[in-house]
Amino acid sequence: MNTATTRTVKRSCPTCEACCGLILEVDDAAQKIVSIHGDPDDPRSQGYVCAKSQAFKYIHDDPERLRTPVRKTPSGDWEPISWDDAFAEIAKQLNTIRAESGKDAIALYVGNPTGHIVSCQLYLQGLMQSLGTERFFSAGTVDQHPQQMGSFVLYGEEWKFPIPDTDRTDYFIIMGANPMVSQGSLMSAPDIESRLKAIRQRGGKVVVIDPRFTETAEQADQHIYIRPGTDAYMLMAFVNEMFTKELITPGHLDGLIDGIDDLRAAVQDYTPESTAKLTGIAPEVLRQLVTEYCAAATGAAYGRIGLCTQEYGTLASWLVDVISLLAGKLDVPGGMMFPRPATSAPGPGTADTTEHWGRWASRVRGFPETCGELPANLMAEEITAPGKDRVRALITICGNPVLSVPNGKEIRQAMKTLDFMVALDIYINETSSQADIILPSTTQAEQSNYDLTFTGTSGRNFVNYTPQLFEPENDLRTMGESLCAITAGLNGISSEDMDNFMFEGTLDRVVKQSAAIGRELDADAIRAEYAEQPGWERIIDLMLRNGPYGDGFDSTDEQGLSLARLRTLGGNVDLGPLQSQLPEQLKTEGQRIRLMHPLITGEFARLAEAFSQNLASPQSSSSDHDMLLIGRRHIRDMNSWLHNIKQYVRGKDRCTMIIHRNDAERIGLSDGGLALLKSTVGEARVPVEISNDIMPGVVSIPHGFGHIYSDSRQSLANDQAPGISCNDLIDHEALDTASGTSVVNGAKVQVYAA
Ligand SMILES: Nc1nc2c(c(=O)[nH]1)N[C@H]1C(S)=C(S)[C@@H](COP(=O)(O)OP(=O)(O)OC[C@H]3O[C@@H](n4cnc5c(=O)[nH]c(N)nc54)[C@H](O)[C@@H]3O)O[C@H]1N2
Ligand SMILES: Nc1nc2c(c(=O)[nH]1)N[C@H]1C(S)=C(S)[C@@H](COP(=O)(O)OP(=O)(O)OC[C@H]3O[C@@H](n4cnc5c(=O)[nH]c(N)nc54)[C@H](O)[C@@H]3O)O[C@H]1N2
Ligand code: SF4
Ligand SMILES: [Mo]
């Protein structure tokens, strides 16, 4: 109910990639969000919300959230410090370490919520440039990094992902994703259930390929079990079948693809028959899938976490795109399409001919960088192994690698040996507890925001600007302000100068992008317009006005986008269905699509070797206890960080091990009893959940649990949802070679009765 003391505000939900539209009732006097509901007028979500729509309110209200910077005392306690003291201390420590041990002695780990905070994304660029460190880690290498590598290879741009056009497709193949729970990733599509139903209602088909009969499988016409980690084999056979049946029809991209004959040769040995034993998929099932998909008028083949975070994640992800490409289902309505964010460059793509891999390597084992990152799995050894360039300082930004990364307990131990660590986090948790200084940030209610990342992953083009609701409590700083201040400290300049420097960098880029389409901009005039307006909003405004839907800095253009216009329109604007944009937007050399990139041919060789070994000795004698571990998500979790909220942790224990009935009987496990899991790196006891809906030989445990450390200050998480960290069972040595991504799906474990 809207009373005199409350007002109604619209914003987008900042908690997952769907970016649903919300209507809030806000009590300004009490600085409280009174209620949150779905916005029926939001063109994308149309009133839909999930249980986590309330998350940012609960976070805002959580008494255990940090509200001031804190410093660790010699006794291991925490004391509040002022922002000025915190920034001064951080500058002193980082500058000393850099002077003594070099730039690469400072490492960075960037976590997932960064993508939901625009100021964080923008000012992180400045910090990374200033640090110039080769020790850059992120949650990406436990996530989408294989897709980045695939996009870099095929389209010349690592953050350009093809997204399923769910609203216009007739045939939707979902591999290694469970959008009914995750709400879609690299597929911002609110209310996926309705979208899946609509596909079926218009006579289309939904197929799910997953080792578990998931919540998404329940919504599908067909579910195909696949043995974890074998999607690359299945997809090689898929392509082989396309060649055999002469189903290669690239449509409007015909003539732009190099290496089709080499690809035909590479897939030659992988047939539906030869791969069936490995994948567990019968040849006729795969053949039918290929036939139906290729015959469908439109089709979207989509893979996510389960496909990325496996032994051949890059190859599997690349193959998903290649199938679309060869079938003429890439960049066409109803297929896999590219969004055109309002902040992107106004003109066509310009070739980027630099290689984005192998420019440097990890210090200890020489693992090559991929798109500027080193595998998060290797963080511990980069910190602990003695020698030149050893990491001495770590900055974590919205990340909890102790729970999110394989063998996180080793990372935690390594953190204890650092000379200095600063965590930018709103909680004292498993990771930030290891820091010397923790800088909290404003909550989503206390800052304005713009959905920068997810306008680039949406199945429909849109823009969304979210206003600030309340003045920050306690002089809290935004992520952008903190990152700007840290960067300023590294450069010995003021935050204001650093902020101006960031603005100037964008202005320079915008002027060049405009010049490339024959639009001359007056940089001085533009600069004058933004005088006295510090912060991220002017940076986004530059990008919006310059972008494909922008006013081009022409104030007489009343239709073109700018932040001011967006505000008058209520923040949220639908920019229509996705449009074809290849080859114009390709950033590859000569705007051609090169299939046989060395990164991929290397993976062909690696797969071929494993394949021939497997054909030679199909059943390596495995014990009755050998199982493959996969992950899962739950609707009320968000990785590791919503477990201190009572509304999200109540109910049944979710950190359980799902196992097939036959396996449970053989091993002697009972439903609700405990299982003992062992691997090369650890062991743990986990409650058992017996099911018929998982492939025999496979067990599933969610990640993000393991709130077992007494130095955290998340009492609810520790008391009510401790669970175990499945990542403490996962070997960090196992990596998808082409991208350095963790193999968290298909990890080898042994399961016993506890
Ligand atoms: N086994 C296994 N492991 C996985 C996965 C899996 O499927 N299986 N999934 C992987 C994936 S996809 C991801 S993305 C990663 C996630 O890996 P991370 O990003 O490292 O972990 P999160 O749990 O998302 O931690 C987010 C952190 O940000 C903090 N935070 C939240 N909001 C804010 C804010 O507004 N400001 C600040 N300063 N801090 C904030 C939280 O307190 C928390 O510490 O986990 C990966 N790990
Ligand atoms: N509620 C909730 N929503 C979330 C998150 C969350 O933690 N909770 N996290 C967010 C984040 S950071 C991300 S990246 C997205 C992830 O979004 P999704 O990719 O949709 O996430 P998952 O639910 O982990 O789905 C992975 C699926 O892969 C399957 N799988 C495992 N191994 C294999 C394999 O080898 N092959 C195949 N084909 N399938 C396999 C698993 O059984 C599982 O069903 O979700 C986001 N949304
Ligand atoms: S689906 Fe995601 S964006 Fe939508 S309400 Fe739930 S958490 Fe928020
Ligand atoms: Mo993720």
Side-chain angles (χ1 to χ4, degrees):
M1 246 239 318
N2 212 342
T3 67
T5 57
T6 63
R7 66 187 163 109
T8 299
V9 189
K10 288 194 179 193
R11 65 159 297 155
S12 81
C13 175
T15 302
C16 91
E17 298 182 31
C19 301
C20 299
L22 305 177
I23 300 183
L24 321 180
E25 199 189 334
V26 174
D27 183 337
D28 289 312
Q31 297 244 322
K32 287 259 174 235
I33 301 167
V34 179
S35 69
I36 302 177
H37 293 104
D39 177 3
D41 297 328
D42 182 284
R44 294 170 56 260
S45 59
Q46 298 177 10
Y48 172 83
V49 286
C50 82
K52 289 188 306 300
S53 58
Q54 314 293 310
F56 76 99
K57 166 183 157 52
Y58 297 147
I59 291 279
H60 183 76
D61 294 343
D62 188 346
E64 280 187 317
R65 175 172 58 82
L66 283 175
R67 284 161 169 84
T68 139
V70 288
R71 173 169 51 199
K72 198 175 269 162
T73 64
S75 67
D77 237 343
W78 294 98
E79 63 182 6
I81 50 169
S82 72
W83 286 94
D84 286 348
D85 286 351
F87 292 134
E89 177 72 9
I90 293 166
K92 189 178 118 201
Q93 295 283 355
L94 294 181
N95 284 326
T96 306
I97 289 167
R98 190 159 63 166
E100 285 172 0
S101 309
K103 66 179 177 57
D104 298 321
I106 304 175
L108 209 58
Y109 174 89
V110 176
N112 174 274
T114 302
H116 297 269
I117 308 167
V118 65
S119 72
C120 187
Q121 281 169 282
L122 294 175
Y123 289 88
L124 178 61
Q125 304 304 322
L127 177 64
M128 284 168 64
Q129 268 175 24
S130 288
L131 286 172
T133 177
E134 294 181 355
R135 306 287 169 270
F136 178 70
F137 306 92
S138 87
T141 54
V142 202
D143 190 345
Q144 80 291 339
H145 214 59
Q147 286 179 261
Q148 281 175 247
M149 298 315 288
S151 288
F152 158 67
V153 164
L154 292 171
Y155 322 120
E157 192 177 351
E158 58 170 298
W159 286 102
K160 189 178 185 70
F161 302 112
I163 310 297
D165 185 5
T166 53
D167 297 347
R168 291 182 289 184
T169 199
D170 300 296
Y171 202 91
F172 190 15
I173 309 179
I174 302 174
M175 290 165 267
N178 188 12
M180 281 295 293
V181 169
S182 68
Q183 310 288 341
S185 177
L186 303 188
M187 175 179 71
S188 308
D191 191 11
I192 194 71
E193 183 174 349
S194 297
R195 291 171 203 267
L196 295 177
K197 286 201 163 83
I199 295 173
R200 303 178 67 191
Q201 269 157 14
R202 57 179 182 261
K205 182 168 178 179
V206 178
V207 183
V208 170
I209 306 178
D210 198 300
R212 189 167 74 85
F213 183 82
T214 59
E215 295 78 357
T216 306
E218 280 174 32
Q219 299 295 324
D221 297 273
Q222 187 182 2
H223 169 250
I224 302 171
Y225 279 112
I226 185 165
R227 182 159 296 120
T230 64
D231 296 75
Y233 296 100
M234 181 267 290
L235 292 162
M236 291 291 269
F238 194 118
V239 175
N240 179 311
E241 181 70 5
M242 287 177 74
F243 277 113
T244 307
K245 296 275 168 64
E246 298 185 355
L247 297 169
I248 310 295
T249 52
H252 75 300
L253 301 175
D254 205 1
L256 292 173
I257 309 167
D258 294 325
I260 292 189
D261 288 337
D262 295 325
L263 178 63
R264 185 199 308 263
V267 298
Q268 190 173 297
D269 294 339
Y270 302 84
T271 62
E273 279 74 19
S274 70
T275 54
K277 258 217 170 82
L278 264 170
T279 60
I281 299 177
E284 59 277 13
V285 172
L286 185 57
R287 287 221 157 82
Q288 185 202 4
L289 182 73
V290 176
T291 308
E292 285 181 4
Y293 166 77
C294 291
T298 61
Y302 162 75
R304 253 325 255 126
I305 282 291
L307 214 69
C308 284
T309 52
Q310 57 163 283
E311 195 175 355
Y312 300 98
T314 301
L315 193 53
S317 299
W318 178 87
L319 281 162
V320 171
D321 281 23
V322 166
I323 282 170
S324 307
L325 188 60
L326 297 181
K329 291 177 162 66
L330 185 81
D331 192 42
V332 294
M336 297 296 288
M337 298 196 80
F338 299 98
R340 189 85 202 273
T343 46
S344 56
T350 44
D352 174 4
T353 52
T354 51
E355 281 298 350
H356 289 208
W357 62 295
R359 289 162 296 182
W360 62 87
S362 77
R363 186 174 64 86
V364 181
R365 67 180 69 194
F367 196 96
E369 62 84 21
T370 52
C371 287
E373 301 198 26
L374 293 177
N377 278 23
L378 304 185
M379 255 168 85
E381 68 184 32
E382 291 291 294
I383 296 172
T384 52
K388 191 175 160 302
D389 289 344
R390 177 176 170 193
V391 171
R392 301 315 314 136
L394 174 67
I395 309 171
T396 63
I397 299 172
C398 303
N400 193 2
V402 170
L403 298 192
S404 305
V405 177
N407 212 356
K409 61 180 183 306
E410 200 182 83
I411 296 176
R412 196 175 135 98
Q413 284 308 319
M415 284 169 172
K416 294 182 191 296
T417 70
L418 288 165
D419 291 340
F420 182 67
M421 176 172 160
V422 53
L424 277 70
D425 208 288
I426 50 175
Y427 283 109
I428 302 179
N429 65 14
E430 298 76 15
T431 294
S432 62
S433 58
Q434 304 311 300
D436 299 286
I437 291 182
I438 309 176
L439 297 179
S441 61
T442 45
T443 65
Q444 291 283 0
E446 296 167 324
Q447 66 202 14
S448 57
N449 203 21
Y450 177 89
D451 293 327
L452 184 61
T453 307
F454 307 114
T455 50
T457 62
S458 172
R460 208 178 155 84
N461 287 315
F462 77 110
V463 272
N464 202 327
Y465 169 81
T466 283
Q468 179 192 41
L469 297 180
F470 311 126
E471 282 303 313
E473 194 179 335
N474 253 355
D475 192 27
L476 276 170
R477 307 293 163 93
T478 66
M479 291 297 294
E481 285 165 341
S482 285
L483 290 172
C484 187
I486 295 173
T487 313
L490 284 165
N491 290 298
I493 59 175
S494 69
S495 282
E496 290 71 30
D497 287 347
M498 189 63 225
D499 189 34
N500 286 333
F501 184 78
M502 296 295 297
F503 172 79
E504 287 296 331
T506 311
L507 180 57
D508 187 49
R509 196 174 74 234
V510 157
V511 168
K512 287 190 180 123
Q513 286 172 348
S514 264
I517 57 161
R519 183 166 69 198
E520 291 301 321
L521 295 182
D522 180 346
D524 289 335
I526 294 174
R527 189 177 295 115
E529 274 189 57
Y530 293 98
E532 316 296 320
Q533 290 181 47
W536 69 265
E537 294 199 354
R538 60 178 175 168
I539 296 180
I540 286 291
D541 198 35
L542 282 180
M543 292 160 77
L544 272 179
R545 298 184 70 183
N546 189 53
Y549 318 88
D551 68 7
F553 299 93
D554 173 0
S555 48
T556 63
D557 175 357
E558 288 180 3
Q559 295 307 309
L561 283 183
S562 65
L563 215 46
R565 176 140 196 273
L566 207 48
R567 283 198 195 94
T568 61
L569 292 172
N572 187 344
V573 179
D574 178 40
L575 297 172
L578 304 185
Q579 309 282 338
S580 298
Q581 42 171 286
L582 301 191
E584 295 78 26
Q585 288 297 328
L586 286 172
K587 292 197 176 161
T588 49
E589 206 172 343
Q591 296 198 309
R592 297 193 61 82
I593 300 175
R594 173 166 62 139
L595 297 178
M596 292 297 121
H597 188 280
L599 205 63
I600 298 302
T601 50
E603 289 303 277
F604 283 153
R606 191 163 74 95
L607 189 76
E609 197 182 325
F611 191 43
S612 62
Q613 272 174 16
N614 220 285
L615 291 178
S617 57
Q619 281 308 319
S620 55
S621 66
S622 66
S623 101
D624 275 359
H625 298 274
D626 286 345
M627 306 288 280
L628 295 175
L629 172 64
I630 60 168
R632 71 175 187 277
R633 288 172 154 80
H634 186 279
I635 193 83
R636 286 185 292 147
D637 293 324
M638 180 48 75
N639 300 320
S640 74
W641 67 278
L642 291 184
H643 293 151
N644 209 47
I645 291 170
K646 67 174 184 304
Q647 289 85 347
Y648 295 146
V649 291
R650 63 183 166 215
K652 264 190 355 187
D653 186 0
R654 300 202 283 271
C655 189
T656 60
M657 180 191 79
I658 297 182
I659 185 166
H660 191 273
R661 187 167 304 282
N662 297 352
D663 290 327
E665 277 169 16
R666 188 184 66 248
I667 297 169
L669 301 174
S670 59
D671 198 51
L674 278 184
L676 171 65
L677 274 95
K678 291 185 178 177
S679 74
T680 50
V681 296
E683 59 178 71
R685 285 177 168 73
V686 197
V688 174
E689 204 178 320
I690 294 178
S691 168
N692 293 328
D693 291 340
I694 189 162
M695 201 173 183
V698 180
V699 292
S700 155
I701 305 179
H703 74 287
F705 289 91
H707 307 292
I708 54 169
Y709 300 107
S710 57
D711 50 12
S712 291
R713 299 271 174 89
Q714 292 193 300
S715 50
L716 211 65
N718 280 41
D719 292 350
Q720 299 201 10
I724 60 120
S725 175
C726 64
N727 282 320
D728 286 346
L729 293 164
I730 297 175
D731 186 357
H732 60 288
E733 302 273 339
L735 290 167
D736 166 43
T737 324
S739 69
T741 299
S742 313
V743 181
V744 298
N745 280 295
K748 294 192 175 90
V749 291
Q750 288 86 47
V751 179
Y752 303 89

